[in-house]
Amino acid sequence: MSLIKQIISGDRRALAQALTLVENDYQNSQNMLAEVYTHTGHAHIIGVTGIPGAGKSTLLNALVKLMRKCEDTLGLLAVDPSSQFSKGAILGDRIRMRDLLGDKGVFIRSMATRGELGGLSSSTAGAVDVLDAAGFDRVIVETVGVGQAEVDIASNAHTSIVVLCPGVGDSVQAAKSGILEIADIIVVNKSDYPKVNVTKSYLREMLDIGSAVQVGLSETQNMTCDPHLVHGTSGAGNNSWQVPIITTVATSGEGVSELFDHLLAHYDHITSTGEITVRRQNRLRAIFESRLRKQLYTKFSQMLSEDYFLRQLELMMVRETDPYTAATECMNNFEINYIGDED
Amino acid sequence: MSLIKQIISGDRRALAQALTLVENDYQNSQNMLAEVYTHTGHAHIIGVTGIPGAGKSTLLNALVKLMRKCEDTLGLLAVDPSSQFSKGAILGDRIRMRDLLGDKGVFIRSMATRGELGGLSSSTAGAVDVLDAAGFDRVIVETVGVGQAEVDIASNAHTSIVVLCPGVGDSVQAAKSGILEIADIIVVNKSDYPKVNVTKSYLREMLDIGSAVQVGLSETQNMTCDPHLVHGTSGAGNNSWQVPIITTVATSGEGVSELFDHLLAHYDHITSTGEITVRRQNRLRAIFESRLRKQLYTKFSQMLSEDYFLRQLELMMVRETDPYTAATECMNNFEINYIGDED
């Protein structure tokens, strides 16, 4: 039986093997991912991001348990920059998930992305497709940082959850880092802490400002007739969806069922309005361009020897060239020609 | 007088103009950056990153004021994902810096990087060079998020400061996000909050584990004889520098002069050990490769029409192709040839 048939039939060892292939072997995973793709399109893809220390892992643990009670199956992918310091911490998180071990309806996997450049990590996208093909109802992608790359990963989901905690300072920081913009659902966890209402009002105000700006943006963008820009990175304010702000206490489970209800409501909303098609297309385009970029640079840099790089660096250090000119000169030594069919 | 001569002569309007050029106009800024580069190499480049809500801006405000008292001049670059929500927040931060307005020894600038793909943002690197050429003693690059891209920006400095606050949860998250790894100096701000000692011990332990892992890594990597990997993204454990953990209360200024002392000590250390040369080379290589990547993809995608992308997306949506195969097929329609001199 082929690896893909095994995955579809529910073989968890085959699934783990496929994910390892996606993570480690760009070349050889491609044929598999191409075949995997034909079996995708059923899962609800959920992106989860949020400020460090907001209790994201505890919240996900509670959410996953609730989903299992409702007989939803799910794959959870923790996108991990795999710092040398992080092994213990990540392990700790996974251990909190131990009550779920042995349950065939859940599959949890940490995925290293260190060193992968470019917005959407192509191995993350591939792993999501594998979990989708494996038949899980929902695939959750959890990112660890709150930077641009993490926002890109989360925003390529059907539904993006942003997890914060009380404290306006943190919310301001969240607004600054650009993660509010992609939120379909905002969770204020640790809502038994003081100042939760101040935080909620602040966030609501931010969202209102954001919607106002977005409406302005959409109008301008419609004028340029570029259908890709209108929906941008998706999320808040792009359609008639009102971003809910949900308060939770992950440790006690408070608010978690409300979060699940909103997840279901959002999925219904994007399905009935057709917004999900836009999000699917955005995701496909992001994967396509990300892989183009990567393959292009790989092909190109293989033509340059390590000696070439070292020589350029030497010249820069003695200021006989500079990195800006050197890059352009390097580019000018190559020509790119179209050799495909006329089309 | 040329723009660059004006910048060097201390003309702040010319400086602002040059930074705008770097930020907005990739093509036309290149010649300027090439010339700017010949005037660089004097500034101490400091990267500052840290978890949201740690009080980074208040700390920087206090640090900058102290530096000015010591007659250090400095340029501060706030790398900002320029979210639609963030305008107010960023403005708020800048307002806190208002006591510095009118002081010619300080120059503060927010820099948008939204949409820039690939580790080191090339416009950020260019802006740092412009500030260096303008003659500031120190150039501080502050990043807003804590993701991989932000870590890349901060790690391309001579000295990287990571700002945290008490609470082990946050520190665990910091370790996970990979930012501890790049720290030359760790600051635990808000050290008047409880649990500061617990946080310090936890961080010290993490750093010790990190150093141990790093020593192991360096040995392995030495065996592979790849000089680039040994120093990696620089930072903790790469040389004989002991990463200090400094406690501060930014609002009262407590600990800020200790932080400044450690900044000076670190600069002395890397200068006397020659480590600064390694860091300079790493930075140049990062700029060079980042610009190569960007120019390559620009050149390439100009050969593909928007119609081409739309047609591919249509085929993907009806599952006649998939993004993995489509990217490879697209690549195969092009050939890249070396047309430069034999060398």
Side-chain angles (χ1 to χ4, degrees), chain A residues 13-325:
Chain A
R13 269 189 64 169
L15 176 57
Q17 211 179 319
L19 290 172
T20 304
L21 192 65
V22 169
E23 192 172 22
N24 298 334
D25 197 340
Y26 189 88
Q27 283 301 330
N28 290 319
S29 62
Q30 183 187 313
N31 290 341
M32 186 192 68
L33 285 175
E35 202 185 330
V36 157
Y37 180 73
T38 61
H39 300 281
T40 60
H42 310 289
H44 175 198
I45 306 173
I46 301 166
V48 182
T49 186
I51 58 164
K56 214 164 30 180
S57 299
T58 316
L59 182 70
L60 278 179
N61 197 22
L63 180 64
V64 165
K65 275 197 251 174
L66 179 64
M67 285 175 167
R68 288 302 296 136
K69 250 188 211 155
C70 304
E71 305 209 338
D72 264 23
T73 59
L74 55 107
L76 173 64
L77 207 60
V79 180
D80 166 10
S82 60
S83 142
Q84 65 195 22
F85 294 115
S86 72
K87 305 302 176 200
I90 294 283
L91 187 64
D93 285 347
R94 296 310 128 215
I95 284 169
R96 267 186 270 167
M97 294 273 185
R98 69 175 174 270
D99 15 349
L100 299 165
L101 287 179
D103 176 356
K104 274 200 76 174
V106 189
F107 191 89
I108 298 167
R109 173 80 173 227
S110 285
M111 187 121 187
T113 55
R114 186 157 201 85
E116 266 218 58
L117 292 173
L120 181 73
S121 141
S122 53
S123 53
T124 304
V128 169
D129 277 358
V130 170
L131 290 167
D132 185 346
F136 292 108
D137 299 318
R138 292 174 220 283
V139 175
I140 303 178
V141 184
E142 174 196 2
T143 55
V144 161
V146 258
Q148 195 52 55
E150 289 68 25
V151 164
D152 286 341
I153 292 170
S155 67
N156 274 287
H158 302 143
T159 305
S160 291
I161 303 176
V162 170
V163 186
L164 305 171
C165 56
V168 168
D170 290 356
S171 314
V172 171
Q173 297 284 338
K176 276 204 272 186
S177 72
I179 55 175
L180 286 192
E181 218 160 316
I182 59 152
D184 297 304
I185 296 171
I186 293 178
V187 175
V188 181
N189 190 33
K190 302 189 182 176
S191 62
D192 49 342
Y193 283 31
K195 292 193 187 165
V196 63
N197 285 326
V198 183
T199 304
K200 277 185 82 170
S201 336
Y202 172 80
L203 287 169
R204 179 49 64 204
E205 207 181 304
M206 284 282 103
L207 289 177
D208 291 344
I209 296 171
S211 302
V213 174
Q214 189 91 31
V215 169
L217 274 180
S218 296
E219 277 163 6
T220 323
Q221 286 167 344
N222 277 329
M223 275 162 35
T224 68
C225 294
D226 184 340
H228 300 290
L229 290 172
V230 179
H231 292 278
T233 46
S234 76
N238 287 315
N239 47 52
S240 51
W241 176 254
Q242 263 277 339
V243 178
I245 302 172
I246 302 166
T247 49
T248 59
V249 184
T251 46
S252 74
E254 199 183 309
V256 175
S257 82
E258 201 191 339
L259 169 59
F260 189 30
D261 290 343
H262 278 91
L263 263 176
L264 297 175
H266 184 259
Y267 192 59
D268 281 349
H269 175 82
I270 56 173
T271 310
S272 61
T273 57
E275 167 74 12
I276 196 164
T277 306
V278 177
R279 295 189 178 206
R280 282 194 175 127
Q281 280 177 339
N282 286 345
R283 180 169 180 270
L284 287 171
R285 182 158 180 154
I287 299 173
F288 178 59
E289 287 208 58
S290 157
R291 291 188 80 98
L292 261 185
R293 268 202 185 81
K294 183 162 176 171
Q295 289 188 42
L296 186 64
Y297 192 71
T298 305
K299 190 167 178 173
F300 182 75
S301 57
Q302 275 163 358
M303 302 176 79
L304 299 167
S305 62
E306 186 56 32
D307 277 351
Y308 175 85
F309 282 105
L310 295 180
R311 211 159 53 235
Q312 292 298 320
L313 278 181
E314 270 168 36
L315 293 173
M316 289 176 214
M317 289 300 280
V318 297
R319 281 166 214 280
E320 283 185 22
T321 187
D322 62 85
Y324 312 100
T325 306

Side-chain angles (χ1 to χ4, degrees), chain B residues 262-330:
Chain B
H262 277 91
L263 263 176
L264 297 175
H266 183 258
Y267 193 59
D268 282 350
H269 175 83
I270 56 173
T271 309
S272 62
T273 56
E275 168 73 13
I276 197 164
T277 306
V278 176
R279 294 189 179 205
R280 283 194 173 126
Q281 281 177 338
N282 286 345
R283 179 169 180 271
L284 288 171
R285 182 159 182 154
I287 299 173
F288 178 59
E289 287 207 57
S290 157
R291 291 187 81 97
L292 261 186
R293 266 201 186 81
K294 183 163 176 168
Q295 289 188 40
L296 186 65
Y297 192 71
T298 305
K299 190 168 181 173
F300 183 75
S301 56
Q302 275 163 358
M303 303 177 79
L304 298 168
S305 63
E306 186 56 31
D307 277 352
Y308 174 84
F309 282 106
L310 295 180
R311 212 161 50 236
Q312 292 298 319
L313 278 180
E314 269 169 36
L315 293 173
M316 287 177 215
M317 288 301 281
V318 297
R319 280 167 213 278
E320 282 184 25
T321 187
D322 62 86
Y324 311 100
T325 306
T328 300
E329 281 177 0
C330 176

Side-chain angles (χ1 to χ4, degrees), chain A residues 1-17:
Chain A
M1 194 155 56
S2 78
L3 188 62
I4 290 160
K5 280 192 183 144
Q6 286 176 298
I7 293 168
I8 294 166
S9 75
D11 183 334
R12 293 295 176 251
R13 269 189 64 169
L15 176 57
Q17 211 179 319

